[in-house]
Amino acid sequence: MTTSLRSKVRTGLLWTAIQSWGGRLSILGLFMIMTRVLAPADIGLFAMASVVLALLTMLADQGLAEAVVQRKEISQEQMNTVFWLNMAVSLLITAVLWFTAPLVARQLDMPDLAPILRTLVLSLPITAASFGQMSMRKRAFEYRHIAMVTLTATVTGCLIAAGLVLAGFGVWSLVAQTIITTTLLTILLWIKPNWRPGRETDLRNTLPLMRYGASRISTAILDFANTRYIEFFLAAALGPATLAIYAVGVRLYQALMQALGSTVYEVAHNGFSRLADDRPALINAYYKSQTATAAVAVPVFCLLVAVASPLTITLFGERWHESATVTRVMCVLGAIQLLQFYNGTIYNAMGKPNIGLKFMVLKVVLTFTGFYLARNGNLNTLLFAYFMSQIITTPLSFYVVKRLVNVSLRELVRRLWPFLCASILMAGAAYGVLLLLEARHLPPLATLIASCAVGAAVYVGSVQLFAPTSLRSAWAMLKSPTK
């Protein structure tokens, strides 16, 4: 990896992290207000509408935005073709959902869902208009600009929505937040465009992008079915109130996975793609990325597993205490999934997205099988079935990377074990303090702060005990990966 590329990757990681964390914290703040004001049924209603819109946004993109980033060279005519394809598909999807929204609402037994879907889908063509601008700026590693405009749009949308929620507009406040955020983001990206669409197209040379995009969108759709089908299942089988319990409990997991995942995936995919022809540099980048994740991100999820109960009550209120079980299970899953992110990035960076597609097919089969077997169970039974269906493919994922790029799993374990062991000890210490303080009936916030403080101290001390230089090395790499 050249010094210039390392510098771009480092800067990209920094600004993508600022964008992701700033945006997720804003949305989390809005969600905290929402859980204290709105009825559980309203929260479940919007959660389902958001799932539908997320699926349609993926379909409108067609995987082309990522294909543009992955290509080493891209022409004006190819970009024009991508832009018009995205716009055409987004308009078609908007029209289809407008007419079928009542049918979707009836199938889910949510009659109030239809007008919400019809309003939300109007934002889809606006979002599609931003795909090309976003992709070209990512190609140029202009993550600072992306972070600034995304944060501006997200914070503005959340502030307006918070005011509307407090003013009594209910679930429509969240609809307004989505539309305002997407519209403002698109406008800001187009104020100073680094690419302008034209009428000249080149469908023949765009076909390779479309083939790559088809593999990626197939994988994304399967991943969506794998990760979000549980929400459809809960809504249909147990009702919107149970869906709301799940939506609150999964919120921290989703926010962290999206913030960490988008930071890691977008920049790592861009950087790894540039190293696809330099195998030693690619392997070294993989080791370093995994080490940094194990040192910084995995401990966060492990700590959340221990303090899920007081954290849920502190953030969302006492009435959502049942959601802590969801948080606990999903954060264990998140700690495992984080270390698999880079495996998928390796497949795609080397132009082999079909590997990820095959994994997704397997995961979807396992997930649907698990839900079928647990179809008569309660929320906890479904959570357990989902958890098991997700982790069963983990060993195979690392084995495929070993075969594909000759990564040494022994070397990977050597780099990761101090952080993983320290994370487990941290979670145990934090949970022990939590039980002790809860027995003394301390307030949830005091219990949360004390448990986190003890857990953090145990983590740092354990890493120092197991591998004294590992924590300093990981921190130095995060500060300056060019060295």
Side-chain angles (χ1 to χ4, degrees), residues 253 298 301-302 304-306 325-338 387 391:
Y253 161 82
V298 171
F301 278 89
C302 290
L304 290 180
V305 173
T325 300
V326 179
T327 301
R328 198 171 291 117
V329 173
M330 297 306 293
C331 284
V332 173
L333 179 61
I336 299 170
Q337 288 176 325
L338 278 174
F387 176 84
I391 67 169

Side-chain angles (χ1 to χ4, degrees), residues 4-22 65-71 131 133-152 185 189 194 259-274 345:
S4 174
L5 180 56
R6 287 176 180 174
S7 179
K8 288 179 179 178
V9 170
R10 179 183 61 180
T11 304
L13 282 169
L14 172 63
W15 283 104
T16 306
I18 292 172
Q19 167 199 327
S20 297
W21 285 99
E66 185 178 313
V68 168
V69 176
Q70 193 268 344
R71 296 284 290 188
F131 290 156
Q133 291 296 336
M134 189 71 78
S135 296
M136 292 300 286
R137 291 196 179 276
K138 287 177 182 178
R139 281 183 61 84
F141 281 89
E142 295 179 8
Y143 288 100
R144 180 180 183 277
H145 181 81
I146 294 172
M148 296 302 292
V149 298
T150 303
L151 269 179
T152 299
L185 175 60
L189 284 170
N194 59 358
L260 293 168
S262 61
T263 301
V264 166
Y265 182 80
E266 291 182 8
V267 182
H269 171 70
N270 204 349
F272 283 11
S273 295
R274 303 299 183 266
T345 306

Side-chain angles (χ1 to χ4, degrees), residues 312-324:
T312 300
I313 295 172
T314 300
L315 293 180
F316 307 121
E318 178 66 40
R319 66 171 172 163
W320 298 105
H321 66 92
E322 292 178 81
S323 298

Side-chain angles (χ1 to χ4, degrees), residues 70-88:
Q70 193 268 344
R71 296 284 290 188
K72 292 183 178 180
E73 296 180 0
I74 192 89
S75 69
Q76 172 71 27
E77 291 75 18
Q78 286 174 312
M79 282 303 303
N80 293 343
T81 307
V82 168
F83 176 80
W84 294 118
L85 282 171
N86 283 337
M87 290 304 299

Side-chain angles (χ1 to χ4, degrees), residues 295 299 418 422-423 426 453-468 471:
S423 296
M426 172 193 65
V454 171
V458 169
Y459 175 75
V460 174
S462 298
V463 173
Q464 287 295 102
L465 177 64
F466 295 140
L471 197 58

Side-chain angles (χ1 to χ4, degrees), residues 4-67:
S4 174
L5 180 56
R6 287 176 180 174
S7 179
K8 288 179 179 178
V9 170
R10 179 183 61 180
T11 304
L13 282 169
L14 172 63
W15 283 104
T16 306
I18 292 172
Q19 167 199 327
S20 297
W21 285 99
R24 298 306 163 192
L25 286 174
S26 300
I27 294 172
L28 181 60
L30 174 62
F31 196 75
M32 289 167 61
I33 296 173
M34 188 175 73
T35 54
R36 286 169 167 79
V37 176
L38 299 183
D42 285 338
I43 295 175
L45 190 65
F46 185 76
M48 182 49 56
S50 298
V51 172
V52 174
L53 184 63
L55 174 60
L56 297 182
T57 302
M58 284 194 302
L59 293 175
D61 173 50
Q62 306 165 71
L64 292 174
E66 185 178 313

